[in-house]
């Protein structure tokens, strides 16, 4: 069906070289009419919500503040974004209006990308507004003057225009002499450029640099502003003022997540998700230009008190007028009724409709159809049941927690409310995380990829040889540990950055350790998960060198930081009076520079040694990531310099560090034993417990892996080596923040205070709304 449609469209496009054909969603042409219905509903919500929001801000003088001015700009940009794409998409779905002129295509992609980048700039401006309001409240009116806001607006519009304008000229210069069929519902830059019959390297590089230089920088600046906001909030004296300050940022944070999360996901799936169907990409792209414009006004209408109160007050005033029945007031009344539904009672309406319609219309129907299909399969084709194991697991994993959650919410009045909430959170997180790990159609493992090649070409990462059938299940703990490492180290870095009481050298070194852990895990685990999930097992020679270089540099830097932390404990216990003079901010900075420089200097020669080797044999790496001796083993030249250098660096960096750490702890134990009281000795050793645990976690698997690689090749199976190597790059980064968070009193106290603050803010936001509904 898709091939016939494509051929027919190709014949159409050959008649007119100045137009393009938009296919819609290839493979789902028969469902276009039904897919258009939810898009049309979302589009109407976006138009109504943003229109009402603009009207409220325009007519109410109390909303003429910088924050609401930025909000009105966001609403205008959302209207521009959805009106640029959705009407044409609906025309394709419902009226088969697939043709679009070249000028119209250029105009559409210009306004699409222009509104997208302008949205990002507005969110950055709103983050700056919140930063000034919370960190410098007395200077808010003098900093964000009308003149300053106009300058910011001109800068945001000018930046977006300047970034997108070259795209139009880059596309316009291209010759289009091949297919004019765009497998999409609207025109976007790279999709149109790929139809050209000329070199589009400039378009690709410019399209890649634009998000990095604009969206990524905006997101970084937003993160920096919220770092300062959190620091300022933690310095506030009372709990109520902290909660009030954080509540003013709730709507903005929600809109940021709605905007950037799908953008990042879409970018990652386009770059790395080659196994994801093209129809999913297009469906997600359409939802992305429709859902944020529809949700943004609802979020601000429900969570912003001024807008909600203004809508409800104006509605009550208009209804109380005696002439409300006149025709000239009826459109206004209907408009405000829609406004109240969208804003004041959006959460109730959505909850009732979603909670009642979804289980009845979808879940129960789907369960019945699944049961019928599996029954037919069991009766007609019993020999094919072996191919359904993964599907059955996914069905049980999805529907059981769903039914339990529905029953517990409807009838389980004796079930604790906190348990319902926690179970609901797990039911929406765990199934999406585990489904990709179950292969529905597992292909036979490629055990022999020994393709000869003359030069450094792509390598094949086998994963864990001998355990290919268990790859999906092995990835589950690796993925969970990686997520724990990301969350724990990021939270630890945020605590050290925003809390002024954690500025001691010990905590700054702990921040360096967290950074090294993040680099070590991120340089290896994502590729390992891609190999285990069967998404991508190839890696280029340069990428392989980059991976082993970064991973080994992070390992050596982490060893250096642990040595510096041992010196810190030595000075704090053995020479406490000189602690402040010896370990200054400059010394900690020098330690960071020295750790990275040392790792880079140690790992630069192995990269050069690997580049000089000829690779004329097999290109299969029996591993999940690249490491020095594994790559060197594929060469057909003399690898003795690699072997001796690898042995020398192991002895001169981690082993030397471990010896110096042992020496420092010997002096620490000697000093502790000389203390007069048992309580003083116990307190001194208590400050070293977390560090000693982290040292054990870091060096024990490293030494075991090194010894088994050197001496246990014939006794220890290879899959044990690889499993240990994968756990080694993910277990210490996951456990280090847990160890320090549990055993370090200051960090544990700050973490508990942050969690209490977030919980109190959430309860305070939900409590008054429920109380007002009960009173009504």
């Amino acid at each position: 069906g898709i091939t016939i449609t494509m051929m027919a469209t190709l014949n159409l496009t050959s008649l007119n070289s100045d137009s393009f054909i938009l296919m819609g969603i290839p493979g789902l042409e028969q469902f276009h009419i039904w897919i258009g219905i939810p898009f049309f509903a979302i589009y109407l919500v976006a138009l109504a919500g943003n229109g009402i929001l603009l009207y409220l801000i325009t007519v109410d003088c109390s909303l003429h503040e910088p924050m609401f001015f930025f909000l009105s700009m966001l609403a205008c940009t959302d209207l521009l974004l959805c009106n640029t794409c959705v009407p044409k998409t609906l025309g394709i779905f419902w009226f088969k209006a697939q043709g679009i002129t070249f000028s119209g295509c250029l105009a559409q992609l210009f306004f699409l990308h222009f509104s997208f980048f302008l949205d990002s700039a507005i969110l950055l401006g709103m983050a700056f507004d919140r930063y000034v309001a919370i960190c410098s409240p007395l200077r808010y009116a003098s900093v964000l003057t009308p003149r300053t806001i106009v300058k910011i607006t001109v800068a945001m519009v000018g930046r977006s225009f300047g970034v997108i304008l070259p795209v139009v000229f880059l596309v316009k210069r291209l010759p289009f002499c091949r297919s004019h069929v765009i497998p999409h519902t609207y025109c976007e830059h790279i999709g149109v450029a790929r139809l050209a019959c000329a070199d589009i390297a400039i378009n690709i590089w410019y399209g890649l640099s634009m998000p990095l230089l604009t969206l990524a920088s905006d997101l970084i600046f937003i993160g920096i502003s919220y770092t300062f906001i959190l620091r300022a909030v933690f310095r506030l004296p009372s709990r109520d003022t902290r909660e009030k300050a954080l509540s003013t940022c709730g709507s903005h944070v929600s809109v940021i997540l709605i905007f950037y999360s799908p953008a990042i996901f879409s970018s990652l799936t386009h770059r790395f998700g080659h196994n994801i169907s093209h129809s999913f990409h297009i469906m997600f792209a359409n939802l992305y230009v429709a859902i944020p414009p529809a949700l943004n006004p609802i979020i601000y209408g429900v969570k912003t008190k001024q807008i909600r109160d203004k809508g409800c007050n104006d509605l009550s005033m208009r209804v109380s007028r005696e002439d409300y029945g006149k025709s000239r007031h009826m459109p206004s009344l209907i408009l405000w009724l829609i406004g109240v539904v969208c804003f004041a009672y959006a959460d109730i309406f959505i909850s009732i409709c979603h909670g009642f319609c979804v289980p009845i219309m979808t879940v129960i129907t789907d369960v019945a159809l699944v049961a019928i299909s599996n029954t037919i399969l069991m009766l007609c084709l019993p020999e094919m049941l072996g191919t359904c194991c993964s599907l059955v697991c996914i069905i049980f994993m999805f529907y059981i927690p769903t039914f339990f959650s529905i029953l517990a919410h409807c009838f389980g009045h004796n079930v604790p409310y906190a348990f319902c909430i926690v179970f609901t959170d797990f039911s929406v997180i765990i199934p999406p995380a585990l489904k990709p790990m179950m292969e529905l159609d597992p292909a036979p493992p490629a055990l022999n990829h020994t393709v000869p090649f003359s030069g450094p070409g792509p390598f094949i990462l086998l994963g864990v040889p001998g355990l290919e059938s268990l790859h999906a299940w092995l990835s589950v703990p690796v993925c969970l540990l990686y997520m724990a490492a990301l969350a724990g180290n990021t939270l630890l870095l945020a605590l050290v950055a925003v809390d002024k009481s954690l500025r001691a050298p010990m905590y700054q070194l702990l921040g360096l350790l967290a950074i090294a852990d993040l680099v070590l895990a991120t340089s290896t685990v994502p590729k390992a998960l891609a190999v285990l999930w069967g998404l991508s097992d190839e890696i280029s020679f340069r990428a392989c060198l980059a991976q082993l270089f970064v991973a080994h540099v992070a390992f050596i830097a982490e060893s250096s930081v642990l040595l510096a932390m041992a010196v810190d404990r030595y000075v704090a216990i053995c020479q406490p009076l000189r602690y402040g003079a010896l370990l200054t901010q400059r010394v900690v900075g020098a330690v960071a520079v020295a750790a990275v420089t040392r790792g880079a200097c140690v790992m630069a020669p192995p990269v050069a040694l690997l580049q000089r080797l000829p690779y004329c044999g097999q290109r299969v790496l029996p591993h999940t990531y690249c490491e020095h001796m594994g790559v060197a083993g594929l060469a057909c030249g003399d690898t003795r310099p690699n072997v001796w250098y690898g042995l020398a660096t192991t002895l001169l960096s981690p082993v030397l560090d471990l010896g110096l750490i042992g020496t420092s702890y010997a002096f620490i134990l000697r000093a502790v034993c000389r203390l007069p009281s048992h309580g003083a000795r116990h307190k001194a050793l208590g400050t070293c417990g977390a560090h000693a645990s982290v040292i054990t976690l870091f060096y024990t698997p490293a030494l075991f892996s090194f010894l088994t690689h050197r001496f246990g090749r014939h006794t220890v199976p290879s899959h044990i080596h690889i499993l240990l190597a994968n756990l080694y790059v993910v277990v210490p980064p996951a456990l280090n923040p847990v160890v320090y968070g549990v055993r370090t009193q200051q960090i544990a106290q700050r973490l508990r205070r942050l969690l209490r603050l977030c919980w109190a803010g959430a309860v305070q936001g939900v409590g008054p709304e429920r109380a007002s509904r009960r009173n009504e």
Side-chain angles (χ1 to χ4, degrees):
I2 301 175
T3 307
I4 297 173
T5 305
M6 290 287 290
M7 291 299 295
T9 319
L10 283 173
N11 294 331
L12 288 174
T13 56
S14 63
L15 300 177
N16 187 5
S17 60
D18 295 330
S19 63
F20 293 102
I21 298 297
L22 294 169
M23 288 285 294
I25 305 177
L28 299 178
E29 289 86 356
Q30 65 272 25
F31 301 110
H32 274 181
I33 295 176
W34 303 106
I35 294 173
I37 295 175
F39 277 102
F40 181 66
I42 295 171
Y43 178 57
L44 290 182
V45 173
L47 293 180
N50 288 286
I52 295 171
L53 191 61
L54 286 172
Y55 179 77
L56 285 175
I57 296 174
T58 303
V59 301
D60 193 354
C61 296
S62 64
L63 299 180
H64 292 177
E65 298 179 1
M67 180 180 72
F68 299 105
F69 176 78
F70 286 122
L71 181 57
S72 64
M73 286 187 61
L74 184 68
C76 292
T77 310
D78 284 339
L79 287 174
L80 177 63
L81 177 62
C82 63
N83 281 308
T84 301
C85 302
V86 179
K88 182 61 181 177
T89 300
L90 294 176
I92 296 170
F93 287 160
W94 288 347
F95 306 109
K96 303 297 182 182
Q98 296 178 318
I100 185 172
T101 63
F102 182 67
S103 300
C105 190
L106 288 181
Q108 189 181 52
L109 71 87
F110 172 80
F111 285 109
L112 168 68
H113 295 297
F114 172 79
S115 57
F116 181 78
F117 284 101
L118 186 57
D119 255 338
S120 179
I122 293 171
L123 291 176
L124 176 59
M126 296 172 79
F128 177 71
D129 169 82
R130 291 299 85 204
Y131 164 74
V132 178
I134 295 176
C135 298
S136 301
L138 300 179
R139 299 178 58 197
Y140 184 77
S142 61
V143 172
L144 290 175
T145 60
R147 188 172 184 178
T148 304
I149 293 175
V150 171
K151 291 180 180 179
I152 294 174
T153 304
V154 172
M156 291 189 297
V157 175
R159 189 196 76 165
S160 303
F161 184 83
V163 168
I164 299 303
L165 187 61
V167 172
V168 177
F169 292 101
L170 288 174
V171 174
K172 195 171 184 179
R173 70 178 178 88
L174 294 173
F176 296 91
C177 52
R178 291 200 297 263
S179 171
H180 286 200
V181 178
I182 301 176
H184 213 297
T185 56
Y186 54 82
C187 297
E188 52 93 20
H189 176 208
I190 300 299
V192 177
R194 284 175 178 169
L195 300 180
C197 50
D199 185 18
I200 61 170
I202 299 177
N203 299 72
I204 294 174
W205 284 110
Y206 190 78
L208 180 62
S209 61
M210 278 193 304
L212 294 178
L213 296 178
T214 53
L215 300 182
S217 61
D218 290 346
L219 190 58
I220 290 172
F221 284 123
I222 290 172
I224 293 173
S225 67
Y226 270 96
T227 301
F228 286 109
I229 287 172
L230 288 176
R231 186 181 68 174
V233 167
F234 281 118
R235 291 179 177 177
L236 294 176
S238 65
R239 177 179 174 181
D240 294 335
T241 55
R242 291 195 293 268
E243 293 174 356
K244 184 177 179 181
L246 286 177
S247 65
T248 62
C249 303
S251 302
H252 185 231
V253 173
S254 302
V255 171
I256 288 172
L257 293 176
I258 289 175
F259 180 79
Y260 284 106
S261 298
I264 295 173
F265 176 79
S266 179
S267 176
L268 293 176
T269 54
H270 271 82
R271 298 290 176 183
F272 309 108
H274 304 295
N275 294 331
I276 299 176
S277 63
H278 189 60
S279 60
F280 177 80
H281 286 294
I282 299 174
M283 183 74 74
F284 189 83
N286 282 278
L287 292 176
Y288 178 63
V289 299
I291 288 183
L295 291 183
N296 290 349
I298 294 178
I299 291 173
Y300 274 100
V302 173
K303 295 183 71 68
T304 306
K305 186 177 183 297
Q306 296 95 320
I307 297 176
R308 186 172 64 246
D309 293 345
K310 173 62 180 174
C312 295
N313 293 336
D314 282 11
L315 175 66
S316 60
M317 291 174 61
R318 289 173 181 270
V319 173
S320 63
R321 292 176 181 175
E322 294 180 355
D323 59 345
Y324 75 95
K326 297 181 180 180
S327 60
R328 62 190 181 91
H329 289 287
M330 286 303 296
S332 183
L333 177 61
I334 294 173
L335 180 67
W336 285 107
L337 284 173
I338 296 174
V340 171
V341 172
C342 289
F343 292 142
Y345 302 105
D347 50 351
I348 300 177
F349 180 77
I350 293 172
S351 300
I352 293 174
C353 293
H354 188 273
F356 180 76
C357 297
V358 169
I360 300 299
M361 301 300 296
T362 60
V363 177
I364 295 178
T365 306
D366 291 346
V367 169
L369 293 176
V370 168
I372 292 171
S373 65
N374 281 278
T375 303
I376 294 174
L377 180 65
M378 182 176 62
L379 295 175
C380 300
L381 297 172
E383 67 275 4
M384 298 299 294
L385 287 177
T387 63
C388 303
C389 296
S390 299
L391 179 60
V392 172
C393 292
I394 292 176
I395 290 171
F396 280 105
M397 185 174 60
F398 177 78
Y399 285 113
I400 289 177
T402 302
F403 280 121
F404 179 83
S405 180
I406 293 173
L407 294 175
H409 275 83
C410 295
F411 309 107
H413 304 294
N414 295 326
V415 180
Y417 189 63
F419 177 79
C420 292
I421 296 175
V422 172
F423 187 85
T424 304
D425 290 337
F426 279 109
S427 67
V428 299
I429 292 175
I430 292 180
L434 294 181
K435 285 175 190 175
M437 303 173 192
M438 299 183 180
E439 298 175 343
L440 295 179
D441 295 308
L447 296 178
N448 188 15
H449 289 277
T450 58
V451 180
F453 63 107
S454 58
F459 294 113
I460 303 295
L461 295 170
L462 282 183
V464 187
L467 300 179
E468 289 85 359
S469 59
L470 302 177
H471 273 182
W473 303 107
L474 292 176
S475 66
V476 175
V478 176
C479 182
L480 294 177
L481 288 171
Y482 180 56
M483 290 190 291
L486 293 180
N489 287 286
T490 304
L491 182 60
L492 190 60
L493 283 172
L495 288 176
V496 174
V498 302
D499 199 334
K500 191 176 181 179
S501 62
L502 299 178
R503 297 297 173 83
M506 180 180 73
Y507 302 109
Q508 292 181 348
L509 293 174
L510 181 57
L512 296 177
L513 183 68
I515 294 173
D517 282 335
L518 287 174
V519 174
L520 177 62
T522 306
S523 63
T524 54
V525 178
K527 185 61 183 179
L529 291 176
V531 174
L532 295 176
W533 290 340
L535 298 177
S536 173
D537 59 353
E538 285 193 0
I539 184 170
S540 65
F541 182 71
R542 292 185 178 180
C544 189
L545 292 182
Q547 187 185 54
L548 70 88
F549 177 80
V550 174
H552 286 80
V553 167
F555 173 80
I556 296 172
E558 188 165 352
S559 178
S560 303
V561 172
L562 289 175
L563 175 59
M565 296 173 78
V567 174
D568 170 85
R569 291 300 84 202
Y570 165 76
V571 177
I573 294 175
C574 298
Q575 300 183 9
L577 299 179
R578 299 181 60 193
Y579 184 79
L582 292 177
L583 292 175
T584 60
Q585 300 284 339
R586 181 175 294 181
V587 173
V588 175
V591 168
V593 174
V596 177
T597 305
R598 178 195 181 200
C601 293
V602 169
M603 285 310 302
V607 174
L609 290 173
L610 290 174
Q611 283 183 324
R612 72 172 180 85
L613 291 174
Y615 297 88
C616 51
Q618 64 176 4
R619 58 188 180 114
V620 178
L621 279 171
H623 214 298
T624 56
Y625 57 87
C626 296
E627 51 92 20
H628 177 207
M629 293 310 302
V631 177
L634 301 181
C636 51
D638 185 13
T639 61
R640 284 179 297 179
N642 300 73
V643 174
W644 285 108
Y645 188 85
L647 181 61
T649 53
T650 303
L651 295 176
L652 295 177
S653 50
V655 175
L656 178 62
D657 293 344
L658 187 59
L660 295 176
I661 290 172
T663 304
S664 65
Y665 269 96
F667 286 107
I668 289 172
L669 289 176
R670 188 183 67 174
V672 167
C673 293
R674 293 179 178 179
L675 294 176
S677 65
H678 176 75
R681 291 194 294 269
H682 183 74
K683 184 177 180 180
L685 289 177
T687 61
C688 303
H691 184 234
S693 302
V694 170
I695 290 172
T696 304
L697 283 173
F698 181 79
Y699 285 106
T700 301
L703 292 177
F704 179 79
S705 179
F706 175 76
L707 293 176
T708 53
H709 270 82
R710 295 292 174 181
F711 308 109
R713 292 183 178 180
H714 304 291
T715 56
V716 181
S718 61
H719 62 268
I720 298 296
H721 291 293
I722 299 171
L723 288 175
L724 184 65
N726 280 277
L727 293 177
Y728 171 62
V729 297
V730 71
V731 170
L735 293 183
N736 288 351
V738 176
V739 171
Y740 274 99
V742 172
R743 298 185 63 88
T744 305
Q745 184 179 4
Q746 294 88 334
I747 295 176
Q749 290 177 351
R750 270 59 176 188
L751 182 59
R752 285 195 295 267
R753 188 177 70 177
L754 178 62
L755 295 177
R756 285 197 301 266
L757 191 62
C758 296
W759 175 258
V763 172
Q764 186 181 18
V766 175
E769 294 182 2
R770 290 186 175 178
S772 63
R773 294 168 193 162
R774 287 197 298 267
N775 294 332
E776 292 174 359

